[in-house]
Amino acid sequence: MLSDSTIAAFKASLRGQLITPGDTQYDEARKVYNGMIDRRPGLIAKCADVADVQTAVNFAREQKLLVSIRGGGHNAIGLGVCDDGLVIDLSAMRYVRVDPKKKTILVGGGSLWGDVDHAAHAFGLAVPAGIISTTGVGGLTLGGGIGHLTRQYGLSIDSILSVDMVLADGRFVTASPKENADLFWAIRGGGGNFGVVTAFLFKGHPAHTNYAGPMLWELEDAPAIMKWYRRFIKKAPKELNGFFAFLTVPPGPPFPEHLHNKKMCGVVWCYTGALKSAPKVFKPIRAVKTPALDMVGPIPHPVMQAMFDPLFPPGDQWYWKADFVHELSDEAIALHVEHAHKLPTWQSTMHLYPINGAAAKVKNKATAWAYRDATWAAVIVGVDRDPANKEKITNWARDYWDALHPYSAPGAYVNFMMDEGEERVKATYGKNYERLTKVKKKYDKNNLFRFNQNIRPAK
Ligand SMILES: Cc1cc2nc3c(=O)[nH]c(=O)nc-3n(C[C@H](O)[C@H](O)[C@H](O)COP(=O)(O)OP(=O)(O)OC[C@H]3O[C@@H](n4cnc5c(N)ncnc54)[C@H](O)[C@@H]3O)c2cc1C
């Protein structure tokens, strides 16, 4: 219990807002994207700047408070908000500055990907992000960052030039290949374990109008499409990304009425090569089997990045299961199809995100992200608006994962994981785990930043 005067002094030392349980904004401020999460922090510090982050970190450490760092609030298990402790909320630190000459992009630690997509597009640039533009830059990037540009430009972490951070002892540092290089290695995949990133400096890549969108086939064609896809994506040109999906066609425009609520399989493509080459690149794909729905065509990069936003508004119930996958055997495909037939709600889905191409050109040990040699990051998400369907979506995702896990790697992408225990975190970081524990000991020996997929400090 903190005294009123302690809280008042903390409040007075912040330029941003301090929200406490009695405040009218409290319930709104503690909400995260996943409607299943209902946590009640003791304090929410909406930091205005680096000085506020330092003050908040020092306060949490001195008062021995549990701390959560909130970026975009999208985390699967709601790691942006803790019970009882202090939320270091970065949502007021949203800014993007593009340097068109150097082709670099400076991004505030609480920014959303849509902020980056919008600002960079004006200069014909982009940074590899995820597939929903309301996701936070902070959490997505620090966990790795998989999306439409992965095969061409790598993971989001592969485009970080440097980060500014506040460490557990309140110090402000920069991590880059030249400064605090061990920290720079660790934050590229190690999540929020090492401190609060107040700004990211990214390399911008050329991207403007892509040839992209979903291509869907009947579920009965899924075994053949999956068998073709598992070969095709390994050899596809690096400008072509395509993640495989099982889904239900949303019951509304722009989807044709005769397909509404139909369970289907598909690939969401993104081709960033020359537009004039696109029809040729897609000719053999379209020839595999005429798609039942083909929405692939020219689309500005930020529009593509926000394409699925309306289907997944904040506040829905989400249950996640994930694994890395090296090979898709015929047996695994049969199990996938079996569970696709049982998709429990129209928002529930399964995606196989390719992490070959540029992402695989980086060695497993070069950054904390240890699964560059896997072919896909698989994610199964049970999603629905109605809390009454919580059990239904959870059971489906668990059963699906239970069936497929024996055909998968021991670890999973940290940003798609639930609270799965220390062994699973170790499996995810593999041979990099031990080095991560040493870096953790150096920069956060008392594990102040532990409300995450936690890397324990070395003994
Ligand atoms: C609808 C949806 C779509 C998604 N699509 C993709 C996708 O295409 N590709 C992909 O890779 N991932 C995707 N994700 C997963 C996403 O990467 C994670 O949920 C990620 O944790 C979200 O980051 P956030 O900042 O929004 O989350 P938050 O909940 O705010 O934060 C999550 C964790 O990240 C850390 N963190 C956040 N910001 C900072 C910071 N500035 N400094 C230090 N630590 C920080 C904290 O430790 C926190 O515990 C998706 C998630 C959702 C809900």
Side-chain angles (χ1 to χ4, degrees):
M1 285 293 285
L2 299 171
S3 69
D4 288 352
S5 62
T6 304
I7 294 172
F10 179 39
K11 188 173 182 160
S13 62
L14 293 171
R15 194 168 175 84
Q17 249 185 317
L18 184 70
I19 300 172
T20 57
D23 293 333
T24 47
Q25 310 99 311
Y26 179 74
D27 280 331
E28 200 50 42
R30 71 186 181 88
K31 263 188 209 160
V32 286
Y33 180 84
N34 186 349
M36 269 192 203
I37 312 293
D38 179 23
R39 298 207 183 99
R40 306 188 70 84
L43 297 166
I44 302 171
K46 288 214 172 218
C47 297
D49 54 20
V50 173
D52 274 1
V53 175
Q54 289 181 297
T55 303
V57 167
N58 288 336
F59 184 78
R61 190 188 59 251
E62 283 157 13
Q63 301 297 334
K64 300 190 170 30
L65 299 177
L66 180 64
V67 151
S68 65
I69 308 165
R70 183 191 174 119
H74 265 230
N75 187 265
I77 41 168
L79 291 174
V81 60
C82 57
D83 270 325
D84 303 324
L86 169 68
V87 176
I88 298 184
D89 182 333
L90 304 174
S91 60
M93 293 173 66
R94 283 172 68 179
Y95 57 83
V96 181
R97 185 179 188 279
V98 181
D99 183 329
K101 280 203 188 120
K102 290 187 184 157
K103 299 197 186 326
T104 58
I105 303 170
L106 182 71
V107 181
S111 305
L112 306 184
W113 275 109
D115 303 334
V116 181
D117 298 334
H118 175 80
H121 185 64
F123 300 94
L125 296 173
V127 179
I131 64 150
I132 300 274
S133 79
T134 54
T135 311
V137 173
L140 183 137
T141 303
L142 296 170
I146 303 171
H148 295 298
L149 301 183
T150 306
R151 295 194 77 253
Q152 180 162 19
Y153 297 127
L155 304 171
S156 305
I157 48 173
D158 300 333
S159 292
I160 305 181
L161 297 172
S162 68
V163 293
D164 289 342
M165 292 182 71
V166 173
L167 303 176
D169 61 6
R171 266 186 308 145
F172 176 74
V173 297
T174 295
S176 73
K178 288 191 178 149
E179 281 178 86
N180 301 303
D182 52 353
L183 186 58
F184 186 60
W185 174 83
I187 57 105
R188 287 177 294 159
N193 269 285
F194 302 93
V196 184
V197 174
T198 53
F200 293 85
L201 184 66
F202 288 108
K203 176 180 176 183
H205 302 275
H208 193 271
T209 303
N210 308 321
Y211 192 84
M215 195 178 269
L216 305 185
W217 292 272
E218 303 286 341
L219 211 45
E220 69 198 30
D221 295 325
I225 297 293
M226 267 186 128
K227 284 175 192 172
W228 161 78
Y229 169 81
R230 75 181 166 191
R231 278 193 318 276
F232 175 82
I233 202 64
K234 287 187 189 170
K235 295 199 173 140
K238 75 173 176 23
E239 298 80 12
L240 182 62
N241 203 87
F243 70 84
F244 184 91
F246 284 119
L247 49 81
T248 306
V249 178
F255 301 97
E257 226 174 303
H258 72 281
L259 295 180
H260 285 182
N261 288 314
K262 197 173 160 70
K263 294 180 174 72
M264 302 191 84
C265 71
V267 178
V268 179
W269 299 108
C270 174
Y271 177 68
T272 41
L275 277 185
K276 64 176 186 325
S277 329
K280 202 170 142 205
V281 170
F282 277 85
K283 200 170 168 198
I285 297 174
R286 289 181 164 122
V288 171
K289 164 97 198 177
T290 306
L293 183 66
D294 185 345
M295 299 176 91
V296 186
I299 181 167
H301 186 75
V303 180
M304 181 200 67
Q305 287 296 120
M307 189 159 54
F308 300 117
D309 290 6
L311 303 180
F312 297 108
D316 290 344
Q317 307 279 305
W318 283 72
Y319 189 84
W320 299 64
K321 291 299 287 180
D323 268 327
F324 284 116
V325 177
H326 289 285
E327 293 296 339
L328 263 180
S329 66
D330 289 355
E331 267 175 89
I333 288 177
L335 290 166
H336 270 291
V337 175
E338 185 189 323
H339 289 272
H341 276 281
K342 299 178 194 163
L343 279 161
T345 58
W346 73 262
Q347 289 168 297
S348 300
T349 184
M350 190 289 299
H351 294 171
L352 286 171
Y353 291 99
I355 45 176
N356 54 6
K361 293 269 184 290
V362 180
K363 295 227 158 30
N364 274 344
K365 285 190 170 175
T367 65
W369 214 85
Y371 266 99
R372 307 259 185 182
D373 54 340
T375 312
W376 294 279
V379 65
I380 302 162
V381 282
V383 190
D384 197 59
R385 193 83 204 153
D386 187 353
N389 286 330
K390 184 175 164 179
E391 221 168 290
K392 187 161 114 178
I393 58 176
T394 302
N395 290 343
W396 170 78
R398 281 187 185 152
D399 290 349
Y400 193 158
W401 183 87
D402 284 347
L404 266 302
H405 184 60
Y407 300 86
S408 311
Y413 175 37
V414 275
N415 278 346
F416 292 163
M417 267 164 51
M418 301 298 280
D419 186 1
E420 300 177 25
E422 196 181 349
E423 288 311 311
R424 180 81 154 148
V425 175
K426 280 185 185 165
T428 290
Y429 289 110
K431 290 183 179 154
N432 288 339
Y433 189 77
E434 205 184 317
R435 183 172 170 195
L436 280 164
T437 64
K438 290 180 183 152
V439 182
K440 177 78 173 174
K441 185 178 177 187
K442 180 170 168 191
Y443 291 97
D444 182 17
K445 64 176 189 305
N446 294 323
N447 209 0
L448 179 69
F449 301 113
R450 62 183 176 279
F451 198 72
N452 45 35
Q453 298 293 352
N454 196 224
I455 293 158
R456 306 274 165 91
K459 296 237 164 72

